[in-house]
Amino acid sequence: MIEHGAEHIVINVKPDYVGSTETSLFDTSVVSSNKLGDYNDLLAELCNLKQKNAQLQIKVDETRFKCESKDQCALVLAKELNTLEAGYARQREHNSQLLYRVLSLQGNIQVCCRIRPITAAELKKKNRKGKFLRPAVAQQSETEVICYNSKDKHSEYLKTFNFDKAWGPNEQQEQVFQDIEPLAASVVEGFNTCILAYGQSGSGKTFTMEGSPEEKQQGITPRMIKKVFQLIALKKQKLNLEAEESKEESKGEESSESQTFDSTIQVGILEIYNEQLRDLLNPRDLGKDADSASGKTRLNICRNEAGNITVQNLSRRTIHCPEEMLSLLEQAKEQRSKATTALNKDSSRSHMVIDVHVSSGTANQQNNAHLFLVDLAGSERMY
């Protein structure tokens, strides 16, 4: 009988078979030795598998711990992000209140002056005495401009003019916009705003307001529209965060529905030329109120039901991004009256008024405001 132990094998042979055959005992010993070798191999392999299993279990535990830690970190980061966003929204609200205080202190009407650089052609020009021309205007400070006596270059400056802001000839479009950028916040908050450019022909009014297609050379109009879209997006984000917080507190949907944010931006562009109004976005429109002589829709300046001044029959376009505004500007520029001057072959001969109506808010609070961007004609004949 063969008894199996944990690590060895004992062979017991009955006495009846001891002296019978030696060969049978030898064969039994050989077979038992082979089985012992196989068992040891299996036992070693089993031990290795147990060790590998233990190592894998350790890795599984470590991975599970890491995942749980990452989930906890993600929750902590999400809470921190919400806190930062809420703080950012509160800071912007505080900045808006400070802006209103600054504007109230400065006054509702501000007058700024921008001095354009001298052109290469002007540098080559000479006066009647054969002397080269020199600038007649220079920036004295951020709010002062001096005008020199053009008759005597050695004389002191003729006069000093004070403005709310003065920009020198070396200041770029972006620097000019930075000083009037806060007005975009006023529009989004529901305050009517008007920005107009006034000056002689060739003084750079159209360049200041419209600029050129290059992003760095864009004027006030495209930059202001882009800023309005950015502020509306931030306002929407703020209200959405407040709605989520109130929803978590009340665990209902009623508060979130009342906080649904909507916004609409509509643009109308008209031209005033020879005391006539022209719709630059629809100049050849025929309608019931069409002027029989010109075949164009008659535009009337009047007051609406709310008592605000508006232009009746002026076509308006709804825009959803700043790029659509640029497209409308190009369309309006093609229709605007122009003439060739000594400084500009496409000098504007008319007043162009851009009316941007901004409506944004929730069902409980809706803000409506008009942003007027005006590029006036040359002021040579205005005294």
Side-chain angles (χ1 to χ4, degrees), residues 37-214:
D38 293 339
Y39 175 79
N40 290 333
D41 293 339
L42 292 175
L43 186 62
E45 185 176 356
L46 179 61
C47 293
N48 292 333
L49 289 176
K50 287 182 178 181
Q51 293 178 357
K52 291 182 179 180
N53 185 34
Q55 294 175 356
L56 290 176
Q57 186 64 38
I58 293 174
K59 291 183 178 180
V60 169
D61 294 338
E62 291 177 351
T63 304
R64 183 183 295 108
F65 177 75
K66 290 180 180 179
C67 292
E68 292 176 354
S69 301
K70 289 183 178 179
D71 292 339
Q72 293 177 355
C73 292
L75 293 175
V76 172
L77 290 176
K79 291 181 180 179
E80 291 181 356
L81 180 60
N82 292 334
T83 303
L84 291 175
E85 290 178 345
Y88 178 70
R90 288 192 297 269
Q91 184 63 40
R92 291 197 63 87
E93 184 70 20
H94 179 66
N95 293 343
S96 299
Q97 295 176 0
L98 293 178
L99 169 64
Y100 300 147
R101 294 180 182 178
V102 171
L103 293 178
S104 62
L105 292 174
Q106 291 179 341
N108 292 331
I109 300 177
Q110 300 180 39
V111 181
C112 306
C113 177
R114 185 181 190 184
I115 304 173
R116 72 161 176 82
I118 299 178
T119 63
E122 290 173 333
L123 290 174
K124 298 179 181 179
K125 286 185 177 181
K126 297 182 180 181
N127 58 17
R128 296 179 181 179
K129 297 182 180 180
K131 297 181 180 180
F132 289 102
L133 300 178
R134 68 184 184 90
V137 182
Q139 181 187 17
Q140 181 71 8
S141 65
E142 292 185 355
T143 58
E144 291 182 336
V145 171
I146 56 177
C147 294
Y148 294 100
N149 186 351
S150 59
K151 295 182 180 180
D152 186 4
K153 66 179 182 179
H154 298 291
S155 64
E156 297 294 331
Y157 59 85
L158 181 62
K159 196 170 184 180
T160 301
F161 296 91
N162 293 320
F163 297 90
D164 293 286
K165 179 65 180 179
W167 298 297
N170 296 325
E171 298 192 66
Q172 302 299 319
Q173 298 278 65
E174 183 178 1
Q175 295 171 304
V176 174
F177 179 71
Q178 286 178 353
D179 293 318
I180 63 174
E181 182 180 1
L183 296 177
S186 299
V187 177
V188 176
E189 295 300 327
F191 295 92
N192 293 331
T193 305
C194 177
I195 303 173
L196 61 88
Y198 167 87
Q200 295 179 336
S201 295
S203 59
K205 301 182 301 298
T206 302
F207 179 76
T208 297
M209 295 301 296
E210 300 179 12
S212 59
E214 293 80 7

Side-chain angles (χ1 to χ4, degrees), residues 270-377:
L270 64 89
E271 176 189 51
I272 305 175
Y273 182 65
N274 289 337
E275 299 183 358
Q276 299 292 327
L277 302 180
R278 296 180 58 214
D279 190 344
L280 294 182
L281 296 183
N282 201 5
R284 301 183 182 277
D285 179 38
L286 295 175
K288 296 180 180 179
D289 298 327
D291 190 340
S292 58
S294 62
K296 299 176 182 178
T297 301
R298 182 182 300 145
L299 302 179
N300 298 319
I301 299 177
C302 59
R303 291 187 180 273
N304 56 17
E305 297 178 355
N308 299 322
I309 296 178
T310 185
V311 180
Q312 190 178 18
N313 300 326
L314 178 66
S315 61
R316 300 181 182 275
R317 302 285 190 272
T318 301
I319 61 175
H320 305 88
C321 61
E323 288 73 19
E324 293 183 0
M325 181 64 192
L326 295 178
S327 177
L328 294 179
L329 280 176
E330 291 298 324
Q331 179 181 344
K333 287 167 61 177
E334 293 296 327
Q335 301 295 334
R336 191 177 182 186
S337 300
K338 304 182 185 67
T340 302
T341 64
L343 290 175
N344 190 355
K345 66 177 182 179
D346 293 327
S347 179
S348 303
R349 299 288 89 193
S350 63
H351 308 303
M352 187 173 76
V353 181
I354 302 175
D355 181 9
V356 183
H357 179 238
V358 181
S359 176
S360 64
T362 62
N364 298 333
Q365 182 180 2
Q366 192 76 16
N367 294 327
N368 293 279
H370 286 268
L371 170 62
F372 294 97
L373 302 164
V374 185
D375 180 15
L376 297 176

Side-chain angles (χ1 to χ4, degrees), residues 9 30-44:
I9 298 176
V30 172
V31 173
S32 299
S33 299
N34 292 336
K35 290 184 178 181
L36 179 61
D38 293 339
Y39 175 79
N40 290 333
D41 293 339
L42 292 175
L43 186 62

